[in-house]
Amino acid sequence: FTAYGGRVYALDHPTLGASPIANALTLVQALPQGARLHLATHSRGGLVAEVLARVSGQGGVTATDLAFFDAAGLAGQRAELQALGQAVAARGVRVERIVRVACPARGTLLASRRLDAYLSVLKWSLELTGVPAVPAVVDFLAEVARRRADPGEIPGLAAMIPDTPLIDWLNAAEEPIAGDLRVVAGDLQG
C-alpha cells in the first residue's frame, strides 16, 4: 500500500458465468482515464490479465484477433473482445506489469475431457462417506461437467479448456507484449 500510495484494488469477478474477456472489460470500465496497471493474479485471474495486456499492448483488437472467435457459439466473446478494445482505447489503459501465480495460460486439464473422470472419482469417494447432501452436490457437479465446453452456458469454464479459441488466441501472439511478466508456476501430476 505504501509503494502504490494506497491505490491497491481487487477485482472480484465471476469465474464460471463470465469469460475472462468480460472480466477484463469489467475492470477497464471501473478504471480512471490513463490508468497504468500492475496486476497480481492467481489462477484464472491470470487469463483476465493476459487478455487485458494483449489488448492494451497491441493498441486494440484486430480482424486477426476476432477471427479466433468466428465459430458458432462465440459471438458473445467476439462482441466482448470488440467492446474491450474500444474501452481500452477510450480510457488509455496500459498494463505495465503482471505477476501471475498458477495461471492456466495453456488451459487446464481440470476443465478438459478429463473432468468427467475426476468427478467420477469424487462421486465415488463422496458416496462412500454416506453424507446426505452429497447426491445434490454430485448432480450439480455432473451438470457443470456436461455443460463445461459450451461458451454460451459456462463461458468462464469453457475458456480454460486447452485448445479453445481464447487459449489459442492468447498463445498465438507473434510479438512480445510490452511490460514485465513474472510467473510463479507449478506442475501438478495426477
Side-chain angles (χ1 to χ4, degrees), residues 77-102:
Q77 288 184 18
R78 185 180 172 92
E80 290 168 351
L81 189 57
Q82 288 173 311
L84 177 62
Q86 292 166 355
V88 165
R91 293 185 187 259
V93 172
R94 289 189 343 230
V95 177
E96 295 180 343
R97 179 174 295 151
I98 299 174
V99 176
R100 242 181 29 199
V101 179

Side-chain angles (χ1 to χ4, degrees), residues 21-149:
I21 301 167
N23 298 145
L25 180 57
T26 297
L27 174 59
V28 169
Q29 290 170 336
L31 293 172
Q33 186 71 27
R36 296 172 32 225
L37 301 176
H38 294 186
L39 302 169
T41 69
H42 177 257
S43 191
R44 187 185 164 284
L47 294 178
V48 176
E50 290 290 324
V51 166
L52 184 52
R54 172 98 185 256
V55 171
S56 70
Q58 66 187 27
V61 176
T62 68
T64 302
D65 297 325
L66 294 173
F68 280 88
F69 302 92
D70 276 344
L74 296 175
Q77 288 184 18
R78 185 180 172 92
E80 290 168 351
L81 189 57
Q82 288 173 311
L84 177 62
Q86 292 166 355
V88 165
R91 293 185 187 259
V93 172
R94 289 189 343 230
V95 177
E96 295 180 343
R97 179 174 295 151
I98 299 174
V99 176
R100 242 181 29 199
V101 179
C103 174
R106 296 228 179 248
T108 175
L109 294 178
L110 291 176
S112 71
R113 291 177 188 92
R114 290 187 183 182
L115 182 61
D116 294 332
Y118 295 133
L119 288 177
S120 178
V121 170
L122 176 64
K123 178 181 177 183
W124 175 76
S125 300
L126 291 174
E127 286 173 348
L128 288 177
T129 67
V131 177
V134 169
V137 171
V138 170
D139 290 344
F140 170 75
L141 292 175
E143 191 61 20
V144 167
R146 189 179 71 78
R147 298 176 186 215
R148 74 184 172 275

Side-chain angles (χ1 to χ4, degrees), residues 54 68 162-173:
R54 172 98 185 256
F68 280 88
D163 299 319
T164 53
L166 180 78
I167 297 297
D168 290 346
W169 172 66
L170 288 175
N171 288 291

